[in-house]
Amino acid sequence: MKGFAPKSHHRGISLIEIAITLVILALLIALGAPSFQTWLINTQLRNSAESMSAGLQRARSEAVRRNQSVQFTLVSLANPSVLDNTCAASAVGTSWVVSLDDPSGRCAVDASDVIAPRTVEKRAAGDGSSAAVVAGVDAAGAAASAVTFNGFGRTSGANPLAQINVTSNSAGTRALRVQISSGGSVRMCDPVVVDAADPRKC
């Protein structure tokens, strides 16, 4: 006599279970979206500050290497993603150019030692730093857009750019600051930190 195996019943997922799962997923996304948005903006601010810090350090090292003055300039553009000849030196510019001459109106020129503005390096802010609000100031707190490093790596000229504040218009985000000393050193710091023992303090 043959034994009969019991019938196995495969139960699928019901429509109610799918609906409950989707509701829970939507709630989790809704709760996580604001913190994700803040994280994204903070990342853009850090990218912008780090980019400017790298540009300043490049300008200083080129000045020492060439033993001649090299300028770092904040520039604003008609299209933030394209470094073209619409550029103008601006204390609120989110893009930058390292060059031997004033790059205003000549940002489309490729790196060259002979063609003005004798560009060394340049960077358009683009979408990667779209949330950044930049404010360049000199040592007295007045708006400034450029700093020139001499062959010794020190800043030179009248009222050079002494700090770049990188902030956002969104609430709850972190501000960063890039400081340039008269000796030429470049440092990124956090203006919110107040503990003197914390290396992030400005």
Side-chain angles (χ1 to χ4, degrees):
M1 184 175 172
K2 286 187 176 179
F4 293 96
K7 286 185 180 179
S8 60
H9 297 284
H10 296 290
R11 185 173 171 272
I13 299 172
S14 73
L15 189 59
I16 293 174
E17 290 171 329
I18 292 173
I20 290 171
T21 303
L22 289 175
V23 167
I24 292 171
L25 187 60
L27 284 171
L28 289 173
I29 290 171
L31 290 172
S35 60
F36 176 75
Q37 181 70 14
T38 300
W39 174 83
L40 189 62
I41 292 171
N42 283 337
T43 300
Q44 291 181 353
L45 297 182
R46 179 162 288 280
N47 288 345
S48 182
E50 286 178 346
S51 169
M52 291 174 188
S53 178
L56 285 159
Q57 289 169 354
R58 176 69 192 275
R60 186 187 189 204
S61 65
E62 279 295 313
V64 172
R65 186 180 74 83
R66 295 167 182 254
N67 193 26
Q68 67 182 119
S69 295
V70 176
Q71 179 176 312
F72 171 93
T73 309
L74 292 172
V75 295
S76 58
L77 306 165
N79 178 349
S81 300
V82 181
L83 265 166
D84 57 17
N85 290 334
T86 64
C87 70
S90 171
V92 296
T94 53
S95 302
W96 53 265
V97 178
V98 173
S99 58
L100 275 64
D101 309 308
D102 182 3
S104 297
R106 299 179 289 189
C107 292
V109 177
D110 291 328
S112 169
D113 285 338
V114 292
I115 302 172
R118 296 184 288 171
T119 304
V120 175
E121 189 176 346
K122 56 186 178 178
R123 187 75 48 88
D127 295 330
S129 302
S130 58
V133 176
V134 172
V137 296
D138 62 18
S145 60
V147 57
T148 300
F149 296 94
N150 63 24
F152 296 106
R154 297 178 62 85
T155 62
S156 63
N159 307 317
L161 183 65
Q163 83 183 26
I164 304 170
N165 296 305
V166 182
T167 59
S168 168
N169 291 325
S170 300
T173 55
R174 249 175 118 170
L176 290 170
R177 181 178 294 161
V178 180
Q179 294 179 319
I180 309 106
S181 73
S182 59
S185 64
V186 177
R187 163 176 191 267
M188 191 167 71
C189 61
D190 187 337
V192 175
V193 176
V194 293
D195 183 359
D198 194 324
R200 297 173 301 160
K201 184 181 183 300
C202 291

